[in-house]
Amino acid sequence: IAGAAAFPSVQGVNSPPWTVWAPQKVDGSFATQQKIAIDPAGAVHLATEQNVCSPCSILGAWYYTLGATGWTKELVASSYFLDDFKFDHAGTAHMLLSAQWNDGTGFAYASRQSTGTWTLETINPAGYGVFVASLTFGADDRPYIAYGGPGGTHIVTKSLGMWTDMILNGQGPDGL
């Protein structure tokens, strides 16, 4: 794994092949949600949901990359909860975010461009109240999102620049 030297290990603890990693502090900020992902090149990345300021109550989604000199940190979007974090086959980072308040910002999809900037697209402006979202990619890097929310279980995908949201009838978050 690229950056693995930052995670020192101790060989022979208990018995081989056990390896113990020494803990590493990434950031001093309090994070309420963390997701870790390895890109196709093997580099370690982290996404977190944490306060944007202290002592503020506004949450934000943050992106960390582990490089040779340590971790770098970027604010992806404020006022959002982090739902999921993945890399596509091409190595682009993607996040699913849900609104902190019912203010019309809804359920969103963020992707990191090759320039290092993040684009944020609203998938469902009424997405406040999304339950447990997950993200995956097809072989063609087409995103597929599943989430429970108003009306039932949703499957969302993007094709030709448009998001399509299909509700699975009778499959709400309560399983009824």
Side-chain angles (χ1 to χ4, degrees):
I1 296 175
F7 292 97
S9 63
V10 178
Q11 298 293 327
V13 174
N14 295 329
S15 62
W18 301 108
T19 300
V20 177
W21 284 3
Q24 180 188 31
K25 185 174 183 177
V26 176
D27 188 353
S29 303
F30 176 74
T32 54
Q33 176 77 270
Q34 309 83 31
K35 304 282 183 177
I36 192 166
I38 308 298
D39 69 22
V44 178
H45 303 263
L46 183 68
T48 68
E49 166 190 300
Q50 59 189 281
N51 286 340
V52 174
C53 56
S54 181
C56 297
S57 61
I58 299 172
L59 291 176
W62 295 84
Y63 172 75
Y64 295 81
T65 303
L66 179 59
T69 59
W71 292 92
T72 59
K73 178 180 179 180
E74 303 170 18
L75 176 63
V76 176
S78 60
S79 299
Y80 281 95
F81 293 107
L82 173 66
D83 291 304
D84 206 354
F85 171 56
K86 297 272 183 355
F87 279 88
D88 63 23
H89 300 96
T92 303
H94 304 268
M95 288 186 195
L96 292 181
L97 307 168
S98 54
Q100 183 175 358
W101 298 288
N102 192 8
D103 61 0
T105 54
F107 187 51
Y109 175 85
S111 58
R112 191 169 193 265
Q113 306 306 302
S114 59
T115 59
T117 60
W118 287 85
T119 59
L120 190 65
E121 301 175 66
T122 299
I123 297 172
N124 180 350
Y128 182 76
V130 166
F131 304 102
V132 189
S134 64
L135 168 68
T136 193
F137 292 92
D140 60 354
D141 278 338
R142 182 176 171 181
Y144 291 87
I145 299 165
Y147 71 95
T153 299
H154 298 248
I155 304 290
V156 181
T157 190
K158 187 175 183 179
S159 180
L160 303 174
M162 301 291 296
W163 289 99
T164 304
D165 188 341
M166 179 179 73
I167 299 175
L168 303 178
N169 292 331
Q171 299 297 315
D174 57 2
L176 302 175

